[in-house]
């Protein structure tokens, strides 16, 4: 598969055209940002961890009945994926209170929630990805009711799978963010990534943070945390 010109550069990945109009190549960078790009840095080796971990998880989710954009891992940092138009919703699931939820609701980080919360943000950097609900998404034409129903059903499946998967590697899945895309025939599939950038993962015994919060909050041992997750999942 020939890698052609760069289509897009995001905060953590570059996207390239290929000689097949339905396929793209994503190239994972070591660049890290937080707070809508205000904080910038590098997490050495992150691109490799996030690429390989995403592909491993996406392959397992496919087996569990969640379609994804994954076609083929090409190298440590590059993956061939189906071309989609990204649905402009950041789909967040919370199992345990943390981050913006704890702040907004005044609930201490680490508080177990009585049921998982599925929430949406509008994916729009200029607005800082504001919190929205289903009616906002419908009224603004960000997705149809049918698409929202599909996205929610897949997302709940992803949560059930990931909770058990990470727990088997000694980690609690506190919360995560995923994104969906639409193929040229309108099919909704999981896109973007599932990695320590997009999940909060805490050690099941000590509650040590093993995710991007170490970068966001200047906690140190950032690379070590990404490598620890990679090793615990048997990917190193
Ligand atoms: P939050 O508590 O800051 O709203 O984050 C919830 C989850 O979403 C957490 O696992 C981190 C992830 N996330 C992203 O992947 N990208 C983002 O831009 C933000 C703000 C959060």
């Amino acid at each position: 598969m020939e890698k052609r010109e760069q289509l897009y550069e995001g905060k953590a990945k570059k996207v390239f055209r290929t000689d097949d109009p339905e396929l793209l190549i994503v190239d994972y960078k070591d660049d890290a940002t937080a707070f809508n790009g205000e904080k910038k840095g590098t997490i050495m080796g992150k691109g490799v961890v996030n690429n390989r971990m995403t592909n491993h998880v996406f392959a397992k989710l496919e087996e569990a009945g969640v379609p994804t954009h994954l076609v083929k891992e090409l190298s440590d940092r590059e993956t061939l994926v189906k071309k989609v138009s990204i649905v402009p919703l950041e789909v967040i699931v919370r199992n345990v209170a943390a981050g913006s939820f704890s702040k907004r609701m005044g609930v201490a980080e680490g508080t177990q929630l009585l049921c998982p919360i599925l929430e949406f943000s509008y994916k729009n950097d200029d607005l800082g990805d504001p919190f929205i609900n289903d009616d906002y998404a419908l009224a603004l034409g960000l997705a149809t009711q049918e698409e929202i129903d599909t996205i929610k059903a897949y997302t709940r499946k992803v949560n059930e799978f990931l909770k058990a998967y990470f727990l088997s590697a000694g980690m609690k899945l506190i919360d995560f963010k995923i994104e969906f895309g639409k193929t040229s025939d309108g099919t909704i599939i999981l896109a973007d990534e599932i990695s320590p950038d997009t999940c909060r993962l805490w050690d099941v015994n000590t509650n040590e943070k093993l995710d991007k919060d170490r970068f966001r909050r200047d906690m140190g041992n950032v690379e070590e945390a990404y490598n620890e997750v990679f090793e615990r999942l048997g990917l190193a």
Side-chain angles (χ1 to χ4, degrees):
M1 184 61 53
E2 181 131 5
K3 191 174 182 181
R4 299 241 169 117
E5 79 272 18
Q6 185 174 307
L7 260 186
Y8 172 77
E9 177 161 7
K11 289 187 286 232
K13 297 187 279 299
K14 296 177 185 174
V15 181
F16 295 85
R17 234 191 271 280
T18 68
D19 43 23
D20 182 334
E22 297 294 332
L23 299 177
L24 301 173
I25 291 172
V26 292
D27 188 336
Y28 285 73
K29 307 188 287 183
D30 286 349
D31 299 354
T33 65
F35 315 118
N36 202 17
E38 250 174 68
K39 179 181 171 78
K40 288 190 172 67
T42 302
I43 302 174
M44 291 280 287
K46 169 170 91 80
V48 177
V49 170
N50 290 7
N51 179 46
R52 297 207 34 220
M53 177 170 162
T54 296
N55 293 340
H56 188 78
V57 170
F58 276 24
K60 289 188 174 290
L61 285 169
E62 290 268 359
E63 286 171 22
V66 179
T68 78
H69 73 172
L70 174 65
V71 177
K72 187 171 185 265
E73 187 170 284
L74 300 176
S75 73
D76 267 0
R77 290 175 185 274
E78 295 166 307
T79 296
L80 188 65
V81 300
K82 291 178 188 158
K83 182 177 178 168
V84 294
S85 58
I86 291 288
V87 178
L89 296 173
E90 302 214 331
V91 186
I92 294 165
V93 175
R94 303 180 188 277
N95 296 305
V96 174
S100 67
F101 177 86
S102 287
K103 223 176 232 172
R104 187 184 315 119
M105 298 305 295
V107 175
E109 281 211 323
T111 305
Q112 178 66 46
L113 299 169
L114 299 178
C115 61
I117 296 171
L118 193 161
E119 68 181 51
F120 293 133
S121 291
Y122 175 32
K123 188 174 158 65
N124 183 315
D125 280 343
D126 293 339
L127 300 174
D129 300 337
F131 186 94
I132 61 167
N133 66 14
D134 296 30
D135 279 352
Y136 278 54
L138 289 170
L140 295 171
L142 307 181
T144 64
Q145 185 64 60
E146 195 188 350
E147 288 164 353
I148 289 175
D149 292 344
T150 302
I151 285 171
K152 284 186 171 179
Y154 285 154
T155 298
R156 294 191 193 282
K157 247 190 192 180
V158 170
N159 187 42
E160 290 316 307
F161 172 81
L162 289 181
K163 268 198 294 190
Y165 175 67
F166 288 124
L167 196 58
S168 73
M171 295 176 283
K172 274 189 280 195
L173 178 62
I174 305 302
D175 56 28
F176 63 93
K177 184 269 301 179
I178 51 180
E179 296 180 21
F180 290 87
K182 255 197 301 187
T183 60
S184 55
D185 69 2
T187 308
I188 295 280
I189 62 177
L190 183 63
D192 195 48
E193 67 180 275
I194 293 180
S195 71
D197 273 16
T198 62
C199 300
R200 285 196 173 94
L201 298 168
W202 293 3
D203 179 85
V204 72
N205 295 313
T206 65
N207 284 340
E208 185 190 3
K209 295 186 196 325
L210 298 170
D211 57 65
K212 193 178 170 188
D213 271 347
R214 301 200 73 87
F215 168 79
R216 295 188 186 99
R217 302 177 186 189
D218 294 319
M219 297 172 74
N221 294 329
V222 183
E223 280 88 357
E224 287 80 354
Y226 280 71
N227 287 329
E228 175 74 22
V229 172
F230 203 50
E231 275 172 28
R232 288 191 189 196
L233 297 177
L235 300 173

